[in-house]
Amino acid sequence: MECPKWRLGELEKSYSDLALKLHKPTNVKYTLMWGFGNTLHGCLPRGLGNESFLDLMRRLFGKTEKKTKPCSATVREELCHLRRQANRQRWTCWESDTAGVEVEVAMMSGRSWRFIIGNGAKGGEVKERLAELSGIHSTELSLLCGGVQLQDHEVLLATYAEALNKPPPQLQLLRIFRPSAISCSTDCTLKIWDLEKATCVNTLRGHGDGVMSLTVDWKSRYAVSGSHDCTLRVWDLDHGICVQAIQVAEHPAFCLEFDHSARRILTGSWDNNLKLWDSELGVCVGTLNGHSGMVKAVRLHWPNHKAISGSCDGTLKLWNTERSTCTQTFEHGEEVWAVDVDWISSTALSGSMDASICYWNLKSGACLGTLVGHTDAVSCLALRWSEGQALSASWDKTVRLWGLPNAVCLAVLQNGHAVTTMSVDWVHRTALAGSPEVSLRNIAAIAYCF
């Protein structure tokens, strides 16, 4: 059956138009004026009252026109449907391409597939075909021809014509679990990194101001970010676009947590409150108030309707998210900048501006010990109670590994710059740290093995 190529063009354009529409910032005027305001900030007098010129720009241009947007699940479904249609139309075109070549792709496990690739088939398009056939996500597939790794942009019959006309199997397929990371920055972007190659593989744009907070669900391939532009954005990592922008008014998310299965986002902000959001409908479904200072850290456990928060008022608070009530308060003393919790053991860690780290029994409310060693504010914490260990990062330019419950420092990792953010993979004993002093758009990606 002959393939109507115009149909493929239509499908690709529909997909591209929808993706572009979602990728484009909704606050273009704000973005342009914000850059202008940054330039003039240092050389113009204060604005109205105590307002700086930069504050005035935010107030004048930071508000966006409220529009009804489809929920993230609907958008993703539509994008996936268009992509599937385009792929199937492309494969039909390959089948009818007289200049095409039948290839066999084999895996080391013994599995193999035969199909025709068209004259203009690219490496990335062939991987999409193999992802459909194998049930393996395309990001985990690596395609080889004669021992050479194929690039997504390469036209196979133009670059490997001789090898592809040899007896099958002409192509080999490897499944590779590539370590990835996502970072956010004051440059208004999020970046997806290939940690093995130490390269940026995609940049997500849409925020109109610095991005302060970020959380990722790798299984669902969704991420949520919070910005000074007073929005939360839900990102579809497969398509590299924003599928939901949630206006948060005067509650810019300094910290956040995301439960994809429950469609809930928990945020903490300068207004001293925590807010719970429906990530599909883009609306606030609950407010947790009780702190008297800025909320700098939150953790959420939606199955048991629990959350914990750390604040500049020197306390941790344990919350019942179903009733929006505080069930317990823990007095750390100085400003709490970092929190982590093991919900199974009901144990929590809190890190403070005074460089101390306390760990708590959430049931009894007792402080089980204090970890002393940092010489500046503790900015990040990661707790692994099942192994009796914790990892902390600080403005003192170090990352420390702790033994619990003996409260001993097992290792000190020198970063060279103040650490403001950290993500830990306990399975592979690796951590990723970010710093404001290093270039690469205010983000330093440093992998530690401990």
Side-chain angles (χ1 to χ4, degrees):
M1 183 179 67
E2 187 177 351
C3 168
K5 292 188 177 180
W6 59 267
R7 174 63 176 156
L8 175 60
E10 274 190 354
L11 290 168
E12 288 181 329
K13 186 176 186 305
S14 297
Y15 175 86
S16 176
D17 287 349
L18 178 58
L20 182 63
K21 178 182 178 183
L22 293 164
H23 201 294
K24 185 178 180 181
T26 56
N27 46 5
V28 176
K29 182 167 66 173
Y30 172 81
T31 304
L32 294 174
M33 292 305 299
W34 188 263
F36 178 64
N38 271 323
T39 305
L40 299 182
H41 179 51
C43 55
L44 288 182
R46 305 286 297 182
L48 302 175
N50 291 324
E51 238 180 3
S52 68
F53 182 77
L54 199 59
D55 295 329
L56 187 60
M57 291 298 101
R58 179 185 286 114
R59 184 168 61 82
L60 291 177
F61 300 103
K63 304 296 182 182
T64 62
E65 182 183 355
K66 291 187 177 180
K67 296 180 180 179
T68 302
K69 295 190 66 176
C71 69
S72 56
T74 302
V75 171
R76 185 170 194 167
E77 185 178 341
E78 187 174 352
L79 282 167
C80 289
H81 178 64
L82 284 171
R83 174 175 277 185
R84 283 193 299 268
Q85 281 189 306
N87 279 337
R88 285 166 186 165
Q89 187 70 20
R90 180 178 295 110
W91 303 333
T92 301
C93 290
W94 289 355
E95 294 287 339
S96 62
D97 189 348
T98 56
V101 173
E102 184 178 43
V103 297
E104 181 177 335
V105 186
M107 291 187 77
M108 293 181 65
S109 63
R111 299 175 69 188
S112 64
W113 302 270
R114 282 178 177 264
F115 54 88
I116 294 174
I117 61 172
N119 188 42
K122 297 180 181 179
E125 294 169 348
V126 174
K127 284 204 299 188
E128 291 271 5
R129 177 69 165 135
L130 289 166
E132 175 84 6
L133 294 170
S134 66
I136 302 172
H137 198 279
S138 60
T139 58
E140 297 178 9
L141 299 180
S142 180
L143 204 56
L144 305 177
C145 183
V148 179
Q149 184 176 5
L150 308 185
Q151 302 302 312
D152 288 350
H153 65 274
E154 290 180 306
V155 177
L156 301 194
L157 291 182
T159 310
Y160 303 95
E162 183 178 350
L164 293 174
N165 281 288
K166 289 182 177 180
Q170 302 96 322
L171 298 173
Q172 295 76 45
L173 185 66
L174 298 179
R175 185 174 187 179
I176 300 175
F177 296 92
R178 291 186 175 87
S180 301
I182 299 183
S183 62
C184 62
S185 172
T186 54
D187 67 3
C188 309
T189 70
L190 288 78
K191 289 184 178 291
I192 304 177
W193 304 89
D194 182 326
L195 295 184
E196 282 188 343
K197 298 179 181 178
T199 56
C200 175
V201 296
N202 200 3
T203 298
L204 308 181
R205 294 181 174 86
H207 281 297
D209 201 350
V211 187
M212 301 177 290
S213 53
L214 171 67
T215 187
V216 187
D217 184 328
W218 288 106
K219 186 176 181 180
S220 69
R221 300 189 65 79
Y222 274 111
V224 179
S225 57
S227 167
H228 283 288
D229 66 7
C230 296
T231 66
L232 296 171
R233 287 185 178 267
V234 181
W235 303 89
D236 181 338
L237 301 183
D238 279 340
H239 301 92
I241 47 86
C242 173
V243 292
Q244 183 74 287
I246 303 172
Q247 300 295 329
V248 297
E250 302 304 319
H251 182 86
F254 186 87
C255 51
L256 60 86
E257 280 274 275
F258 175 47
D259 188 311
H260 170 69
S261 59
R263 306 293 194 265
R264 289 293 183 268
I265 305 169
L266 180 68
T267 59
S269 185
W270 284 293
D271 63 2
N272 307 343
N273 295 327
L274 291 82
K275 288 183 179 289
L276 201 60
W277 306 85
D278 186 311
S279 63
E280 291 297 325
L281 301 178
V283 296
C284 179
V285 294
T287 299
L288 313 179
N289 51 55
H291 281 298
S292 59
M294 173 184 173
V295 180
K296 297 205 70 170
V298 293
R299 290 291 184 268
L300 173 66
H301 190 255
W302 185 253
N304 289 337
H305 300 287
K306 289 183 179 180
I308 194 167
S309 58
S311 168
C312 289
D313 63 11
T315 69
L316 283 80
K317 287 185 179 291
L318 187 63
W319 305 87
N320 182 314
T321 55
E322 192 173 31
R323 300 176 182 175
S324 298
T325 57
C326 175
T327 59
Q328 200 160 1
T329 299
F330 307 86
E331 297 286 345
H332 188 116
E334 292 296 328
E335 294 185 8
V336 178
W337 284 19
V339 170
D340 201 11
V341 59
D342 183 275
W343 295 105
I344 296 176
S345 65
S346 294
T347 307
L349 283 177
S350 60
S352 173
M353 182 184 67
D354 68 1
S356 67
I357 302 170
C358 294
Y359 59 106
W360 309 84
N361 184 310
L362 298 182
K363 291 181 178 178
S364 66
C367 180
L368 303 177
T370 302
L371 310 179
V372 179
H374 283 297
T375 58
D376 206 338
V378 177
S379 55
C380 315
L381 290 169
L383 174 63
R384 184 79 160 183
W385 186 258
S386 61
E387 296 182 12
Q389 292 186 342
L391 207 65
S392 62
S394 168
W395 282 81
D396 66 8
K397 306 178 183 179
T398 68
V399 175
R400 290 177 179 261
L401 179 65
W402 302 91
L404 303 173
N406 295 326
V408 293
C409 181
L410 303 176
V412 179
L413 308 173
Q414 298 292 335
N415 183 53
H417 300 277
V419 183
T420 56
T421 184
M422 179 179 69
S423 181
V424 182
D425 180 351
W426 288 102
V427 175
H428 297 95
R429 309 292 289 177
T430 304
L432 193 71
S435 171
E437 286 92 349
V438 183
S439 57
L440 191 57
R441 298 197 176 186
N442 295 336
I443 289 292
I446 304 162
Y448 293 108
C449 292
F450 50 88

